[in-house]
Amino acid sequence: MRSSIYGISFFFLFCIFPLVSGQLASKQSNTMITVSHQLANSSWNVEKEQNPCLWEGVTCNAPHNDSILSLSLSGFGLSNSSFLPLLCQINSLQSLDFSSNLFNSIPVEFFNSCGEIDGLKSLNFSKSMLVGSLPTFQKFVGLESLDLSFNSLNGSIDSQLNGLSALKSLNLSFNHFTGSVPSRLGKSRVLEQFELSLNRFTGEIASEIWEHGNLIKIDLSGNHLNGIIPESFVNLTKLETLILSSNQLHGAIPAGLLGIATLQRFTANQNNFVDLPSTNPSMSLKILDLSYNKITGRILPQLLLGSTLQTVDLSYNMLTGPIPVTISSSLVRLRLGSNYLSSPIPSTSFVSLPNLTYLELDNNSFTGTITPQIGSNRKLALLNLAQNKLNGTLPDELLNLTQLEVLKLQLNKLSGEIPNQIGSFNNFDGPIPKTLSKLNDLEVLDLSNNSFSGTIPDFLVTLSSLSQLVLSNNQLYGVLPQFKPHVSVYINGNPQLHRPQDNPPVLSKKRKSVGVTIVIAFAAAVLAVEVVAIVFLLISRRLSEVNEEQLQSLEVLSPPRVIQANMLTANGGP
């Protein structure tokens, strides 16, 4: 008896307790209900769901669900921001996301009230169409992430962020801020992400930035910064990403910058740099982009040797000399176009680079023949050797590049013939797939130079928009179905595939007289019909002329239209 009582008690506790503990604090619940009435948003509707913890974008502290930790109203399409201070009454908040709305401005009361929430760590107002100057964050002592990107905020940044002593991530990109790049950011010494791209900052990069020793990412691209990269940047020993593209920076790149052990990406294209770094790059470096600068001199061998390198872009500079004889086997993209590089392309540079997909050496002064070793890079999809001084014939090894999609060789001194096999991208086999039957707007279908087999499926005849069908050089067989007269069909290179016989069967002599009689009778009938038709045409022609004159007087004839064709090709070309 006693055990059954205990069993009932435990059952009561496990079944009823979740219901009791799942009650949101009354103050927070009332706040959420008040806000929902102001929003009139179907996602926050107390009539449909009484528990705010179950509303879209609301995260509570599981399993108790008695307080709200995070609110996301991202993409709600809100334009009135007057409700924002009400949410600051929820003192358990850790994250607020108001991105992708139409607020235009943020009430001052919001900063005064939400600044009192010590546990608030993340605040996101990106893509909210905000205008005006940067708000002042006097409190927010626990805020770690602030995102105001993709707005229209303007003015300079002075002391507005001084109170953010715990800030780790600051994103003010895609705004209209002016003046100098903020460097000290008040009391914050734990900053890790510093993103100010696509603004209108001017002046030099302050050397004091190195005082933020925890910086992992710096993005100052798309501004109007000038001067040099401060030497003190080499002291940022945790730096992983440095993006300085599209500014007016000049001078030499600090010698030890690429040697920062943690550096993975350095992008400084579209500036006025004149020298390449002289030290060995970090073994962590994956992306190096110094294109569109004024860099002179030779490419140092160590620059292309990093064991983790994936992309190197030195195009549109004034580099001279040869390509280094050894290149990292991890490279995926190498762009050296539009320089003054010369000498023959080294045969050892491009031996079995298993990941190389894009190779651009165009608009230089390379001489000699195309090295056959390029053909060993089986993943090449783009090979651009145009506008050089290359001569000789194309090496047969290029036929090994079965994944090649773009080959540019123009404006050289090459001779001989282009192998027919170049440009053959696929080897499909089996029957022609039935899924093509759903392409009712298909006008051109090219399945040539593959290994398709079987008979021609009847559904191809029913494609109402088809005007050209290319089936050449496959393994198809049987009799070609009867296509509509306007459809051009090419079947050469399929020995077992033939068109229907057009020759009629030979008539026997016994039926000759009957046949002649039928032909004469048929000819007489046709002649009678033609006489009637001529009379009808003479009458209708006059009626047509009258109708045409009337139509031209009522409307202006529209010009001929060109309808865009749809083409599907299985081999990359017609």
Side-chain angles (χ1 to χ4, degrees), residues 439-480:
L439 304 178
N440 294 322
D441 296 326
L442 187 66
E443 296 184 6
V444 178
L445 176 58
D446 186 349
L447 302 178
S448 62
N449 299 301
N450 282 284
S451 298
F452 286 114
S453 59
T455 59
I456 309 299
D458 292 334
F459 68 76
L460 291 178
V461 178
T462 64
L463 295 177
S464 57
S465 298
L466 190 67
S467 62
Q468 187 178 79
L469 176 61
V470 185
L471 302 173
S472 307
N473 301 317
N474 280 283
Q475 300 174 19
L476 300 167
Y477 56 81
V479 180
L480 186 71

Side-chain angles (χ1 to χ4, degrees), residues 507-522:
L507 297 174
S508 63
K509 293 182 179 180
K510 294 182 179 179
R511 296 185 180 182
K512 184 174 181 180
S513 59
V514 178
V516 172
T517 304
I518 294 175
V519 169
I520 294 174
F522 179 77

Side-chain angles (χ1 to χ4, degrees), residues 69-74 84-85 87-88 93-100 103 106-108 110-117 119-128 130 134-149 151 160-161 164 167-172:
L69 302 180
S70 172
L71 292 177
S72 175
L73 285 79
S74 179
L84 292 177
L87 295 175
C88 301
L93 282 171
Q94 298 179 7
S95 175
L96 285 172
D97 185 356
F98 302 114
S99 60
S100 301
F103 288 135
I106 306 172
V108 176
F110 172 83
F111 297 99
N112 294 333
S113 301
C114 279
E116 300 286 350
I117 305 176
L120 186 61
K121 296 180 179 180
S122 178
L123 183 59
N124 188 352
F125 275 101
S126 64
K127 300 178 184 178
S128 293
L130 299 177
L134 181 67
T136 299
F137 295 80
Q138 292 181 342
K139 301 176 182 178
F140 295 93
V141 294
L143 194 66
E144 297 179 356
S145 175
L146 175 61
D147 191 345
L148 296 171
S149 61
N151 285 291
Q160 298 99 316
L161 305 174
L164 303 179
L167 194 64
K168 293 182 179 180
S169 176
L170 175 64
N171 192 346
L172 302 179

Side-chain angles (χ1 to χ4, degrees), residues 42 50-51 68-69 73 81 85 98 103 117 161 175 244 284 342 351 361 388 396 408 418 431 460 465 488 502 520 524:
S42 59
Q50 295 184 352
N51 186 357
I68 298 174
L69 302 180
L73 285 79
S81 61
F98 302 114
F103 288 135
I117 305 176
L161 305 174
N175 279 285
L244 303 174
S284 301
S342 58
V351 177
L361 306 178
N388 280 287
D396 292 337
K408 295 187 177 182
I418 299 176
L460 291 178
S465 298
S488 301
D502 295 327
I520 294 174

Side-chain angles (χ1 to χ4, degrees), residues 298-508:
R298 297 190 169 207
I299 302 175
L300 301 178
Q302 62 267 28
L303 198 62
L304 303 181
L305 284 179
S307 60
T308 59
L309 271 180
Q310 296 179 0
T311 296
V312 174
D313 192 345
L314 302 177
S315 60
Y316 293 92
N317 279 287
M318 294 183 284
L319 295 168
T320 57
I323 298 175
V325 295
T326 306
I327 293 176
S328 171
S329 61
S330 62
L331 266 178
V332 175
R333 180 189 294 267
L334 178 61
R335 302 188 71 226
L336 302 177
S338 298
N339 279 284
Y340 301 118
L341 299 172
S342 58
S343 300
I345 299 174
S347 59
T348 57
S349 298
F350 301 102
V351 177
S352 298
L353 302 181
N355 301 304
L356 189 63
T357 308
Y358 306 96
L359 177 59
E360 300 176 54
L361 306 178
D362 57 299
N363 196 20
N364 280 286
S365 297
F366 292 115
T367 58
T369 60
I370 299 175
T371 174
Q373 282 73 16
I374 288 181
S376 65
N377 304 298
R378 300 299 181 92
K379 285 190 177 181
L380 265 181
L382 184 150
L383 175 60
N384 190 351
L385 302 176
Q387 290 183 266
N388 280 287
K389 299 178 181 179
L390 299 171
N391 55 43
T393 60
L394 297 184
D396 292 337
E397 286 77 5
L398 292 183
L399 301 178
N400 297 328
L401 303 177
T402 56
Q403 299 186 37
L404 194 65
E405 297 180 8
V406 178
L407 175 62
K408 295 187 177 182
L409 302 171
Q410 67 268 26
L411 299 177
N412 277 288
K413 299 179 180 180
L414 298 170
S415 59
E417 296 183 353
I418 299 176
N420 292 331
Q421 293 88 338
I422 291 182
S424 302
F425 301 121
N426 293 312
N427 192 27
F428 294 114
D429 57 12
I432 296 174
K434 193 173 182 179
T435 52
L436 296 176
S437 63
K438 300 178 181 179
L439 304 178
N440 294 322
D441 296 326
L442 187 66
E443 296 184 6
V444 178
L445 176 58
D446 186 349
L447 302 178
S448 62
N449 299 301
N450 282 284
S451 298
F452 286 114
S453 59
T455 59
I456 309 299
D458 292 334
F459 68 76
L460 291 178
V461 178
T462 64
L463 295 177
S464 57
S465 298
L466 190 67
S467 62
Q468 187 178 79
L469 176 61
V470 185
L471 302 173
S472 307
N473 301 317
N474 280 283
Q475 300 174 19
L476 300 167
Y477 56 81
V479 180
L480 186 71
Q482 189 67 48
F483 285 84
K484 297 176 182 177
H486 67 276
V487 181
S488 301
V489 183
Y490 302 90
I491 63 171
N492 58 299
N494 294 276
Q496 303 300 319
L497 180 64
H498 56 87
R499 300 178 185 275
Q501 295 294 331
D502 295 327
N503 297 328
V506 180
L507 297 174
S508 63

Side-chain angles (χ1 to χ4, degrees), residues 524-540:
V526 170
L527 181 62
V529 170
E530 288 180 350
V531 172
V532 175
I534 291 172
V535 175
F536 175 79
L537 287 174
L538 290 174
I539 298 173
S540 61

